[in-house]
Amino acid sequence: MSAQAQMRALLDQLMGTARDGDETRQRVKFTDERVCKSHLLNCCPHDILSGTRMDLGECAKTHDLALRADYEIASKERDLFFELDAVDHLESFIADCDRRTELAKKRLVETQDEISAEVAEKAETVHELNEEIGKLLAKAEQLGAEGNVDEAQKVLQEVEKVRSRKRDAEEEYRNSMPASSFQQQKLRVCEVCSAYLGLHDNDRRLADHFGGKLHLGFIQIREKLEALKKTVLEKQEKRNQDRLKRREEREKEERMKKRTKSRSRERSREHRRSSSRDRRRRRSRSSSRERRRSSRSRSRDRERRRRHRSRSHSKGGRHSHEPSSRHKSSRDRDRSSRDRSRERSRKRGSSERRQDSRDQNGRTDSRRAEESDT
């Protein structure tokens, strides 16, 4: 890759797809199914194992550093849960690698000579010490490249201690086997990258393997897979808690709505009751007023009739006592007139007594009405 291509890739990684207004590149978004989600999370095996003996070639999906930059910007605002797709991808890849490791172990069992359990245990001890030496040498080389010379020296001192332990373990293993079989190369399959390791490999060979790109790439993939699983679990737990909180809030809102509805219903019922009470009170007041008015009007009418009758009786009495020249001619007419006047006087007295009793009743009614009004 030329320097210009490297600079372009660096700008894409830093600024995203819209760094220079290129609309053709913006047609493919990072959310598209054609984009590799493992590449967006920087854990695609096609990128990590490129240039090794297990190079997988180009990925079937789109790889673009600018899309990764867009994803990193968008992931700060909201969760996209691309980790699920990346976990599925890495799990399938690691499962294939573990399957190849098991097949290699079965092939070694079939091809190599059988040994006793004690000898196999001693050989396993030598293999473990070889792995420890290779890891320490790879670590010392990395520290030296970073400039930590003192730390690298301490790691090399630990390597010397492990080497002495390895020599003792090899001596025990050599003594437990005949010389003809000891010279044979005993192989072992690496549990990380499924590569073959020899029992008699030198330190340089072990350092190259454990510090090589293939072994470190598999370690990176496995560690990334565990980290992604942990992240997915945390996000799922957080999402479940958010759902529970939203559900509790909805239930609380529903309870509040029910309470407000019940309160509004009670208020409406109370308002109806109060309005009905007010209407009954108004009706009772209006009816009492009408009664008082009718009683007053009746009492007034009675008083008027009584006065009118009293006036009419007084006028009739005066006319009855005036002498009539027309009836003086005969005694019979005088007697009859006297009898008639007596009868009239008796009737008039009885009617006056009745009218007085009626007036007294009307007065008592009016007094009662006034007392009720007060």
Side-chain angles (χ1 to χ4, degrees):
M1 183 182 294
S2 62
Q4 186 177 1
Q6 291 179 358
M7 292 296 295
R8 187 181 296 108
L10 182 59
L11 289 175
D12 290 339
Q13 186 176 0
L14 292 175
M15 303 179 65
T17 56
R19 64 178 180 85
D20 53 358
D22 190 359
E23 297 181 357
T24 58
R25 299 184 64 186
Q26 294 181 9
R27 291 177 184 175
V28 179
K29 302 295 183 181
F30 66 90
T31 56
D32 198 322
E33 293 293 334
R34 295 172 293 176
V35 178
C36 180
K37 304 303 185 293
S38 301
H39 172 72
L40 297 179
L41 293 168
N42 195 19
C43 61
C44 184
H46 294 268
D47 295 336
I48 296 174
L49 300 179
S50 63
T52 62
R53 66 178 180 85
M54 291 185 65
D55 193 347
L56 302 175
E58 293 184 0
C59 183
K61 295 186 177 182
T62 304
H63 283 205
D64 194 347
L65 296 175
L67 295 176
R68 182 189 294 176
D70 293 342
Y71 165 73
E72 291 176 355
I73 295 171
S75 62
K76 295 178 182 179
E77 299 177 358
R78 59 191 178 93
D79 290 332
L80 299 171
F81 291 96
F82 286 170
E83 291 84 0
L84 296 173
D85 298 333
V87 166
D88 294 338
H89 185 197
L90 295 182
E91 282 182 346
S92 63
F93 176 76
I94 294 297
D96 292 338
C97 181
D98 294 339
R99 195 179 304 110
R100 287 195 299 269
T101 302
E102 294 298 327
L103 291 175
K105 288 181 179 179
K106 291 180 180 179
R107 194 178 298 111
L108 286 178
V109 171
E110 293 175 356
T111 56
Q112 291 182 352
D113 297 335
E114 293 184 2
I115 56 178
S116 63
E118 182 181 0
V119 176
E121 183 178 358
K122 292 179 180 180
E124 186 68 23
T125 303
V126 175
H127 278 298
E128 291 177 356
L129 292 173
N130 285 335
E131 289 183 5
E132 187 175 356
I133 290 172
K135 291 177 181 178
L136 290 173
L137 288 174
K139 184 178 179 181
E141 289 180 0
Q142 184 179 0
L143 291 173
E146 293 176 356
N148 297 326
V149 180
D150 296 336
E151 296 292 333
Q153 291 294 330
K154 292 180 182 179
V155 173
L156 290 176
Q157 291 176 3
E158 293 179 2
V159 169
E160 292 296 329
K161 294 179 181 178
V162 176
R163 282 175 179 172
S164 63
R165 290 165 52 194
K166 178 187 174 182
R167 285 193 292 270
D168 297 337
E170 286 180 347
E171 187 68 25
E172 292 180 1
Y173 174 68
R174 185 183 298 107
N175 294 330
S176 62
M177 291 185 65
S180 60
S181 60
F182 178 77
Q183 296 297 329
Q184 295 179 0
Q185 180 71 289
K186 298 296 181 180
L187 298 178
R188 183 189 179 192
V189 181
C190 180
E191 298 290 341
V192 177
C193 60
S194 67
Y196 290 103
L197 297 175
L199 183 65
H200 303 295
D201 289 342
N202 55 15
D203 296 342
R204 184 70 265 167
R205 167 76 174 82
L206 296 174
D208 291 340
H209 170 75
F210 290 105
K213 188 176 181 180
L214 178 63
H215 188 83
L216 295 177
F218 272 96
I219 291 175
Q220 181 181 353
I221 291 171
R222 293 177 184 273
E223 290 178 353
K224 191 68 176 180
L225 178 60
E226 296 298 327
L228 288 175
K229 287 181 179 179
K230 187 176 180 181
T231 303
V232 168
L233 290 176
E234 291 177 354
K235 288 188 176 182
Q236 287 179 350
E237 185 177 358
K238 185 179 178 181
R239 193 173 185 180
N240 293 331
Q241 291 178 357
D242 295 338
R243 287 178 179 175
L244 290 175
K245 288 181 180 179
R246 289 195 295 269
R247 186 182 299 173
E248 291 176 356
E249 290 176 357
R250 286 196 299 269
E251 291 177 355
K252 188 176 180 181
E253 290 178 358
E254 290 177 358
R255 288 195 297 268
M256 292 296 293
K257 288 179 180 178
K258 290 180 180 179
R259 289 178 183 176
T260 53
K261 287 181 180 179
S262 61
R263 290 176 182 175
S264 62
R265 289 175 183 173
E266 291 293 332
R267 290 175 183 174
S268 62
R269 290 175 184 173
E270 188 66 26
H271 181 67
R272 291 172 186 172
R273 292 173 184 172
S274 61
S275 61
S276 61
R277 289 172 188 170
D278 295 336
R279 284 195 294 270
R280 286 197 295 270
R281 288 175 184 173
R282 293 194 206 98
R283 290 174 183 174
S284 62
R285 289 175 183 175
S286 62
S287 60
S288 62
R289 288 174 184 172
E290 290 294 332
R291 290 172 186 172
R292 288 195 296 270
R293 289 175 184 174
S294 61
S295 62
R296 289 175 184 174
S297 62
R298 284 196 296 271
S299 62
R300 289 172 184 171
D301 294 337
R302 289 171 185 170
E303 186 67 24
R304 289 172 184 172
R305 285 195 297 270
R306 187 182 64 79
R307 291 176 183 176
H308 181 70
R309 289 174 184 174
S310 63
R311 289 175 184 173
S312 63
H313 286 312
S314 62
K315 288 179 181 179
R318 283 197 298 271
H319 288 295
S320 65
H321 290 294
E322 287 181 356
S324 178
S325 60
R326 296 177 183 177
H327 298 288
K328 288 181 180 180
S329 60
S330 63
R331 292 179 180 178
D332 294 333
R333 291 178 179 177
D334 293 337
R335 289 177 182 175
S336 62
S337 64
R338 289 174 184 174
D339 295 334
R340 290 172 183 170
S341 62
R342 289 175 183 173
E343 188 68 23
R344 289 174 182 170
S345 62
R346 282 197 301 271
K347 290 180 180 180
R348 195 178 295 118
S350 62
S351 63
E352 288 177 356
R353 284 194 297 272
R354 291 174 184 172
Q355 186 67 29
D356 291 336
S357 63
R358 290 176 182 174
D359 294 337
Q360 289 178 0
N361 291 329
R363 290 172 185 172
T364 55
D365 292 337
S366 62
R367 288 176 182 175
R368 289 175 183 173
E370 290 176 358
E371 289 176 356
S372 64
D373 292 334
T374 55

